[in-house]
Amino acid sequence: MLTGCETHIEIDKAECKKEIVSLQLQLASLQRQYREKGIPIVILIAGPSASGKGRVVGELLRELDPRNYSLHSVPSPPTDDIRYPFLRRYWCRLPANGTIGLFIDNWYRALFHRSKGFKSKADQANWCQRINTFEQQLTSSGMRIFKYYLHISRKEQKKRFRKLSGNKHTTWRIKAADKLMLKEFEQYHENADRVIEFTHKENATWTIVPADSGQYALLAILRTLVTELDKNSFQGTSPAAEKKLHIEVKTIEQSPRLENADLSLSLNLLEYENSLEELRSRLYKLHNQVYRRKIPVVIAYEGWDAAGKGGNIKRLAHSLDPRGCQVMPIGAPVGDEKTHHYLWRFWTRVPRTGHIAIFDRTWYGRVLVEKVEGLCSPEECERAYSEIMEMEREWTDSGIVLLKFWINIDQEEQLKRFQERKNTPHKQWKITDEDWRNREKWDKYAEAVNIMLQRTHSGWAPWTIVESNCKLHARIKVMKTVVAALETRLRK
Amino acid sequence: MLTGCETHIEIDKAECKKEIVSLQLQLASLQRQYREKGIPIVILIAGPSASGKGRVVGELLRELDPRNYSLHSVPSPPTDDIRYPFLRRYWCRLPANGTIGLFIDNWYRALFHRSKGFKSKADQANWCQRINTFEQQLTSSGMRIFKYYLHISRKEQKKRFRKLSGNKHTTWRIKAADKLMLKEFEQYHENADRVIEFTHKENATWTIVPADSGQYALLAILRTLVTELDKNSFQGTSPAAEKKLHIEVKTIEQSPRLENADLSLSLNLLEYENSLEELRSRLYKLHNQVYRRKIPVVIAYEGWDAAGKGGNIKRLAHSLDPRGCQVMPIGAPVGDEKTHHYLWRFWTRVPRTGHIAIFDRTWYGRVLVEKVEGLCSPEECERAYSEIMEMEREWTDSGIVLLKFWINIDQEEQLKRFQERKNTPHKQWKITDEDWRNREKWDKYAEAVNIMLQRTHSGWAPWTIVESNCKLHARIKVMKTVVAALETRLRK
């Protein structure tokens, strides 16, 4: 693609300038319309060194309301980012609904620099596929994504390098890597070509912009951007949502089902205390090793109201050093969480290497409470199964150990516990009218749980049903499962 | 203080255990009460290596609701933190209203480690003073702060080091610095003693806890914490608010006044364009140098509605590389901003070294709109003048160049511009009923502005009144002022 593209287009400077000014104003007006509709926009500006990315962005922003855009440019200097799954840094920086995120530093960065580590073309294709999945998740939820590649000739790049070097104020900008790029210009292009081909999708298209003239590049970007934004803002539908990309995810064969759980399993206090003591000490040691080997761990809890999640988490957490372990209680989204993708608040909470995150309720809320209560559409819910699997795959591929527990009780046991809470003064705050209402929908929830177990039980992120009519049994089972999983990983 | 304190207290283990369990439950109940009242709590746990900080914190958290606390423990490994003013990292991590923040890694960290760089006792005293000011700002706004120092004997520390070293799972925990501490135990204590004395204030007291027995330490902390929290939660007043600490800040002599501004100052288009071209190019070069010399810059804009702040900022920003410059529009607080100290959202937005932050409206909202509209009490407003000066001092002491502009027009000019906005279709969105309402309070605002100028015009963060009846003049004046300030700093 790139090889066939012009890098230089003749323009009439005065005409061009006039059109740019008018397009800048149109863009600002579109920004206000998207603001009102609450649709987020992502604009990626990519291209080789000295292709004019900074200048173009400066001009794109000229008339925009700074309250409603964010610019992500210089790749952050030494931060924590590298201690998290790769995509987290971008998830965290995604624009809120109704705002624009401009990314010079973006998720294509590593892909465009062939020197930066792909073992093979298959490896590169795999990365592109992950990025397609990421963009698909975003556009499915209504985000608009525009990707621009500033295409300059080797001659032009050389000229610009020379100009930058010649000026004492800018000479520091030319780094060794840039000089290398000039040398390997053809390879850079070939590689970029492949990446663009792999990742040019209907929902997130690439536009290759002839950029030997900075002014033409700006004009070309403004033209497509204004046209595209305008078209869709008046149609009122997001074309991205129409196209569905289903990543086939193989689940492991025997996915657990609620009705197969043996709720009679129990422990007496003596058995419990003996096991607890032993498991606590093993967990403590394992946490130490996990910390030193920098293995991140995610432990996800879901379960019926009053199933004993809280107490179970407490016992587990108290076997761990609080400095390397965090309990993350998940309720209805609040604040910024409401104006972002439903997975955003989990991406931002993923633990860094060597740390353990325990989620008290999770991203599965989407296919449980949100599904049953109609808080998301059937299509959204349907999509969520794959989206969740994709997220979990990204996490575990980055090295995270991921365990998911369904804390299970039956209806009689729940009733008993609700009544006990109601009648015990210091427990009354734990029981609300909502709990009673949810209880009436037991069967609907049970069905949703079974579908969830079936569709999201995977080799890399398995579900464990924890029989919790006897809380003592449940606590020991969770601890044993965690111990086994950590020991397996540490043997690797 | 420390030298006179016991490190070891005999206890009856069984009795102690019983009391601890009961106090843990009381603490959980107090947490719920504070949650309802929306009062934030900060608990600092300090002490030498192996004094049992992690263990105590684990037990303090045992019964707490994890939704409403956060733990800050391991000092973050390589992050951006060091590129910001020292206190920013703690401001960013302060608990929201109604929640508890536990800090093992806290603002006393450097102070307690004498090896970590104080030139002199005066230097140390100065740091302590800054921390007192910080804590005073927090408690004045209603936060409760409790500081605990775990006091162990050298003998006990040695014993614990030996135990940790002897276990293959924990031996990595003992680092060279810890061994050094054992050697310099007395000096560490002497230094800690001084710090505690300097920073033991009525609004944020230290409790020295004998910690040779971990269980006793826990008990002692729980006892004071529960007693203190309980006392005040029923009185319903925050004693911290009663005590006022006024840092005397010298303002420079001639603080500007609105009525002295010569609003007839103007430029014609030719003069404007000539100056603009020259200043743009100087600014661009200066930004380059500022970036390389890693000087952070804050440019704060306040001014009348329709005074031309937006256009002024735009011209300034377009002379700067967008990758090193961010415009921060400030409106009414939203989301997390509403549940934190009013200065929190400015501390979290401070630029990192080498970057320029332009604030479109600022922290002065507290003494302008909030004062005039009665959104803060007269006491809060009174306090704000010093608090703002203190914040600005922290920033500039850390190396930030701080400039403040009041964009000034007169009433007639404002009326003219309001009417123009009303009558120009693509500008109508800029004018709201609120603008007309604010206009009616012109005199009140003018008075507030003059008081603000008088009380917050300082050598390190001066105000410049920018005559803006002629927008062209205003833009050039701002750019000239910025150029002059950057050149002065770069000559240093």
Side-chain angles (χ1 to χ4, degrees):
Chain A
M1 302 170 93
L2 286 179
T3 26
C5 286
E6 290 287 345
T7 59
H8 182 68
I9 307 274
E10 279 302 330
I11 48 162
D12 172 333
K13 285 212 169 174
E15 276 299 310
C16 187
K17 175 81 191 154
K18 231 171 83 189
E19 195 181 340
I20 285 173
V21 169
S22 140
L23 287 165
Q24 282 169 332
L25 288 171
Q26 286 178 60
L27 188 62
S29 145
L30 284 162
Q31 182 194 28
R32 288 191 292 277
Q33 292 174 35
Y34 273 72
R35 174 75 191 163
E36 266 168 45
K37 288 175 203 285
I39 299 172
I41 300 168
V42 157
I43 302 170
L44 305 183
I45 307 289
S49 301
S51 57
K53 299 187 285 290
R55 194 175 161 274
V56 157
V57 166
E59 289 297 321
L60 283 178
L61 299 177
R62 186 177 276 266
E63 296 297 334
L64 299 186
D65 183 342
R67 265 164 301 195
N68 300 324
Y69 72 73
S70 52
L71 170 62
H72 306 279
S73 55
V74 195
S76 314
T79 67
D80 265 2
D81 280 349
I82 47 162
R83 296 188 60 185
Y84 295 98
F86 167 67
L87 286 172
R88 176 186 178 271
R89 72 195 73 171
Y90 300 111
W91 270 100
C92 291
R93 291 168 174 80
L94 288 176
N97 293 342
T99 71
I100 300 178
L102 276 122
F103 292 83
I104 298 183
D105 171 33
N106 59 57
W107 41 96
Y108 287 97
R109 201 181 145 74
L111 276 169
F112 279 137
H113 288 272
R114 57 182 281 282
S115 53
K116 286 187 187 153
F118 291 102
K119 276 167 284 173
S120 61
K121 285 192 185 173
D123 185 32
Q124 189 188 39
N126 176 36
W127 269 72
C128 288
Q129 177 56 43
R130 287 168 61 193
I131 280 179
N132 287 340
T133 303
F134 171 50
E135 290 177 354
Q136 179 65 39
Q137 289 200 3
L138 301 181
T139 54
S140 295
S141 74
M143 183 181 278
R144 312 274 330 257
I145 300 183
F146 302 94
K147 305 185 285 194
Y148 295 96
Y149 183 87
L150 301 186
H151 187 36
I152 55 168
S153 62
R154 186 170 181 279
K155 201 175 127 197
E156 179 66 24
Q157 192 184 42
K158 203 169 175 180
K159 201 174 97 191
R160 292 188 189 180
F161 278 176
R162 208 176 301 130
K163 196 174 159 201
L164 285 167
S165 308
N167 182 327
K168 73 178 161 103
H169 294 299
T170 54
T171 181
W172 61 277
R173 288 198 165 194
I174 310 292
K175 308 216 171 73
D178 297 320
K179 285 183 191 145
L180 184 69
M181 179 186 279
L182 199 56
K183 228 180 195 167
E184 300 182 344
F185 197 79
E186 291 312 316
Q187 290 98 309
Y188 182 90
H189 259 189
E190 244 172 63
N191 173 66
D193 224 9
R194 229 171 15 244
V195 171
I196 289 174
E197 206 184 318
F198 269 134
T199 57
H200 180 62
K201 296 285 169 190
E202 206 183 325
N203 61 305
T205 57
W206 275 105
T207 305
I208 297 170
V209 182
D212 277 359
S213 150
Q215 206 165 26
Y216 179 79
L218 174 62
L219 180 65
I221 293 177
L222 277 167
R223 274 183 187 159
T224 61
L225 201 52
V226 164
T227 312
E228 285 300 314
L229 286 175
D230 200 29
K231 198 162 43 180
N232 288 282
S233 107
F234 290 116
Q235 285 184 355
T237 70
S238 156
E242 292 158 18
K243 191 178 163 255
K244 267 182 206 156
L245 178 90
H246 273 301
I247 307 273
E248 276 309 313
V249 209
K250 277 243 162 44
T251 54
I252 51 180
E253 277 173 32
Q254 288 281 359
S255 71
R257 289 185 67 79
L258 286 186
E259 50 276 30
N260 298 339
D262 177 3
L263 287 171
S264 72
L265 286 171
S266 75
L267 286 181
N268 66 39
L269 200 61
L270 189 66
E271 292 167 327
Y272 170 69
E273 285 184 342
N274 284 341
S275 301
L276 186 68
E277 210 42 56
E278 192 227 322
L279 286 165
R280 274 179 71 101
S281 113
R282 279 170 75 185
L283 262 174
Y284 191 82
K285 283 175 199 155
L286 284 167
H287 191 191
N288 242 308
Q289 288 174 267
V290 156
Y291 182 78
R292 293 178 70 194
R293 293 263 303 268
K294 293 204 183 299
I295 298 169
V297 180
V298 169
I299 299 169
Y301 276 81
E302 286 287 352
W304 300 105
D305 289 334
K309 281 194 307 300
N312 201 308
I313 289 173
K314 213 177 272 176
R315 269 46 171 217
L316 178 64
H318 285 142
S319 314
L320 305 167
D321 189 319
R323 288 171 288 192
C325 161
Q326 204 177 346
V327 179
M328 235 81 69
I330 303 298
V334 293
D336 291 343
E337 300 170 355
K338 283 199 250 181
T339 57
H340 281 89
H341 194 282
Y342 74 101
L343 291 175
W344 180 78
R345 58 183 178 143
F346 304 106
W347 271 100
T348 56
R349 282 180 170 85
V350 76
R352 63 175 183 221
T353 53
H355 284 244
I356 297 179
I358 300 176
F359 285 87
D360 183 0
R361 300 208 181 275
T362 69
W363 43 98
Y364 284 100
R366 186 73 162 187
V367 297
L368 296 171
V369 57
E370 288 190 43
K371 178 186 189 182
V372 175
E373 307 294 336
L375 302 173
C376 68
S377 72
E379 295 73 36
E380 283 172 326
C381 174
E382 181 55 36
R383 227 169 41 225
Y385 297 110
S386 353
E387 288 168 344
I388 285 173
M389 293 285 268
E390 289 155 4
M391 179 179 80
E392 292 180 349
R393 189 63 193 251
E394 279 289 332
W395 289 9
T396 54
D397 276 356
S398 84
I400 287 177
V401 175
L402 175 51
L403 296 171
K404 305 182 291 197
F405 295 110
W406 177 265
I407 309 299
N408 201 32
I409 52 173
D410 55 31
Q411 274 179 291
E412 298 89 280
E413 182 65 25
Q414 190 188 48
L415 184 62
K416 215 177 83 191
R417 293 188 190 175
F418 275 12
Q419 275 162 349
E420 195 205 326
R421 286 181 176 185
K422 212 174 98 183
N423 301 329
T424 315
H426 75 271
K427 288 190 177 172
Q428 277 160 4
W429 62 276
K430 282 183 162 188
I431 180 116
T432 65
D433 291 348
E434 209 189 317
D435 294 326
W436 291 101
R437 276 196 301 275
N438 289 344
R439 185 175 155 73
E440 282 167 26
K441 299 182 186 156
W442 183 282
D443 290 341
K444 279 195 177 169
Y445 273 102
E447 194 197 338
V449 173
N450 272 330
I451 295 174
M452 169 190 86
L453 293 171
Q454 191 207 327
R455 298 196 55 181
T456 61
H457 181 62
S458 62
W460 58 90
W463 276 105
T464 304
I465 296 191
V466 180
E467 307 81 1
S468 189
N469 271 12
C470 166
K471 288 179 182 179
L472 305 185
H473 165 79
R475 291 171 195 167
I476 296 301
K477 178 159 180 178
V478 163
M479 288 171 85
K480 277 187 176 164
T481 312
V482 174
V483 163
L486 296 184
E487 283 178 347
T488 306
R489 164 57 68 88
L490 284 164
R491 269 198 300 275
K492 274 186 190 165
Chain B
M1 302 169 94
L2 286 178
T3 26
C5 286
E6 290 288 344
T7 60
H8 182 68
I9 306 276
E10 279 302 332
I11 47 161
D12 172 335
K13 284 212 169 174
E15 277 299 310
C16 187
K17 175 79 190 156
K18 232 171 83 189
E19 195 180 339
I20 284 173
V21 169
S22 140
L23 286 166
Q24 281 169 331
L25 288 171
Q26 286 179 60
L27 187 61
S29 146
L30 283 162
Q31 182 193 26
R32 288 192 292 277
Q33 292 175 35
Y34 273 71
R35 174 76 191 164
E36 267 167 45
K37 287 175 202 285
I39 300 172
I41 300 168
V42 158
I43 302 169
L44 305 183
I45 307 289
S49 301
S51 57
K53 298 187 285 289
R55 195 175 160 272
V56 157
V57 166
E59 289 297 320
L60 283 178
L61 299 177
R62 185 176 276 266
E63 296 297 333
L64 299 186
D65 183 342
R67 267 164 300 198
N68 300 324
Y69 72 73
S70 53
L71 170 62
H72 307 279
S73 54
V74 195
S76 312
T79 67
D80 265 1
D81 279 350
I82 47 162
R83 295 188 61 185
Y84 295 98
F86 168 67
L87 285 173
R88 176 186 177 272
R89 70 195 73 168
Y90 301 110
W91 270 99
C92 291
R93 291 168 175 80
L94 287 175
N97 293 343
T99 70
I100 300 177
L102 276 124
F103 292 82
I104 298 183
D105 171 32
N106 59 57
W107 42 94
Y108 286 98
R109 201 181 145 74
L111 276 169
F112 278 137
H113 288 272
R114 57 183 282 281
S115 52
K116 286 188 186 152
F118 292 103
K119 277 167 284 174
S120 61
K121 286 193 183 170
D123 185 31
Q124 189 187 39
N126 176 36
W127 270 72
C128 288
Q129 177 57 44
R130 287 168 61 195
I131 280 178
N132 287 340
T133 302
F134 171 51
E135 291 177 353
Q136 179 66 41
Q137 290 200 2
L138 301 180
T139 54
S140 294
S141 74
M143 185 181 276
R144 312 275 329 256
I145 300 183
F146 301 95
K147 305 184 285 194
Y148 295 97
Y149 184 87
L150 301 187
H151 188 37
I152 55 168
S153 63
R154 187 171 179 279
K155 201 175 127 196
E156 180 67 23
Q157 192 184 42
K158 204 168 173 181
K159 202 173 95 192
R160 293 187 189 180
F161 279 177
R162 209 177 299 131
K163 197 175 157 199
L164 287 167
S165 309
N167 182 327
K168 75 178 160 103
H169 294 298
T170 54
T171 181
W172 62 278
R173 290 198 163 194
I174 309 292
K175 307 214 172 73
D178 297 321
K179 285 184 191 146
L180 184 69
M181 180 187 278
L182 199 56
K183 228 178 194 168
E184 300 182 344
F185 197 80
E186 291 311 316
Q187 291 97 308
Y188 181 91
H189 259 190
E190 245 171 62
N191 173 66
D193 224 10
R194 225 166 23 239
V195 171
I196 289 173
E197 205 183 319
F198 270 134
T199 57
H200 180 63
K201 296 285 168 189
E202 206 183 325
N203 61 307
T205 57
W206 276 105
T207 306
I208 297 169
V209 182
D212 278 357
S213 149
Q215 206 166 28
Y216 178 80
L218 174 64
L219 180 64
I221 292 177
L222 277 168
R223 273 184 188 158
T224 61
L225 202 51
V226 165
T227 312
E228 285 300 315
L229 286 175
D230 200 30
K231 197 162 42 180
N232 289 282
S233 106
F234 290 117
Q235 284 183 356
T237 71
S238 155
E242 293 160 17
K243 191 179 164 254
K244 269 181 205 155
L245 178 88
H246 275 299
I247 309 272
E248 276 311 313
V249 209
K250 277 244 162 45
T251 53
I252 51 181
E253 276 174 33
Q254 289 280 0
S255 71
R257 289 185 67 80
L258 286 187
E259 50 275 29
N260 298 340
D262 177 3
L263 287 171
S264 72
L265 287 171
S266 75
L267 285 182
N268 66 39
L269 200 60
L270 188 68
E271 292 168 326
Y272 170 69
E273 284 184 342
N274 284 340
S275 301
L276 185 67
E277 210 42 57
E278 191 228 321
L279 286 165
R280 273 179 72 100
S281 112
R282 279 171 76 185
L283 261 173
Y284 191 82
K285 283 175 198 158
L286 285 167
H287 191 190
N288 241 309
Q289 288 174 267
V290 156
Y291 182 78
R292 294 178 68 196
R293 293 262 304 267
K294 292 204 183 298
I295 299 169
V297 181
V298 170
I299 300 170
Y301 276 82
E302 287 286 353
W304 299 104
D305 289 332
K309 281 195 306 298
N312 202 308
I313 289 174
K314 213 179 271 178
R315 267 52 173 210
L316 178 65
H318 285 141
S319 314
L320 305 167
D321 189 319
R323 288 171 287 193
C325 161
Q326 203 177 346
V327 179
M328 235 81 69
I330 301 298
V334 293
D336 291 343
E337 299 170 356
K338 284 199 247 181
T339 57
H340 281 89
H341 194 280
Y342 74 100
L343 291 176
W344 182 79
R345 59 182 177 144
F346 304 106
W347 271 100
T348 56
R349 282 179 169 85
V350 77
R352 63 176 183 219
T353 53
H355 284 245
I356 298 180
I358 300 176
F359 285 87
D360 183 0
R361 299 209 181 275
T362 68
W363 42 100
Y364 285 99
R366 187 73 163 188
V367 296
L368 296 171
V369 56
E370 289 190 43
K371 178 187 189 183
V372 174
E373 308 294 337
L375 302 173
C376 69
S377 72
E379 295 74 35
E380 284 172 326
C381 174
E382 180 55 36
R383 228 169 39 225
Y385 296 110
S386 354
E387 288 168 343
I388 285 172
M389 294 285 267
E390 289 155 5
M391 179 179 78
E392 293 180 347
R393 189 62 194 253
E394 279 289 333
W395 289 8
T396 54
D397 277 355
S398 83
I400 287 176
V401 175
L402 175 50
L403 296 171
K404 305 182 290 197
F405 295 110
W406 177 264
I407 309 298
N408 200 32
I409 51 174
D410 56 31
Q411 273 178 292
E412 297 90 277
E413 182 64 27
Q414 190 187 49
L415 184 63
K416 216 178 82 193
R417 294 189 188 175
F418 275 12
Q419 275 160 349
E420 194 206 327
R421 286 181 176 184
K422 212 173 98 185
N423 300 329
T424 314
H426 76 269
K427 287 190 177 172
Q428 277 160 5
W429 63 275
K430 281 183 162 187
I431 180 118
T432 64
D433 290 349
E434 209 190 316
D435 293 327
W436 291 101
R437 275 196 302 274
N438 288 344
R439 184 175 155 72
E440 283 167 25
K441 299 183 187 156
W442 183 283
D443 291 341
K444 279 194 177 169
Y445 273 102
E447 194 198 336
V449 173
N450 271 330
I451 295 174
M452 168 191 85
L453 293 171
Q454 190 207 329
R455 297 196 55 181
T456 62
H457 182 63
S458 62
W460 58 90
W463 276 105
T464 304
I465 295 191
V466 180
E467 307 80 2
S468 188
N469 272 12
C470 166
K471 287 180 183 180
L472 305 184
H473 164 81
R475 291 171 193 166
I476 297 300
K477 178 160 180 178
V478 163
M479 288 172 86
K480 278 186 176 163
T481 312
V482 173
V483 163
L486 296 184
E487 283 178 346
T488 306
R489 165 57 68 88
L490 284 164
R491 270 198 299 275
K492 272 186 194 166

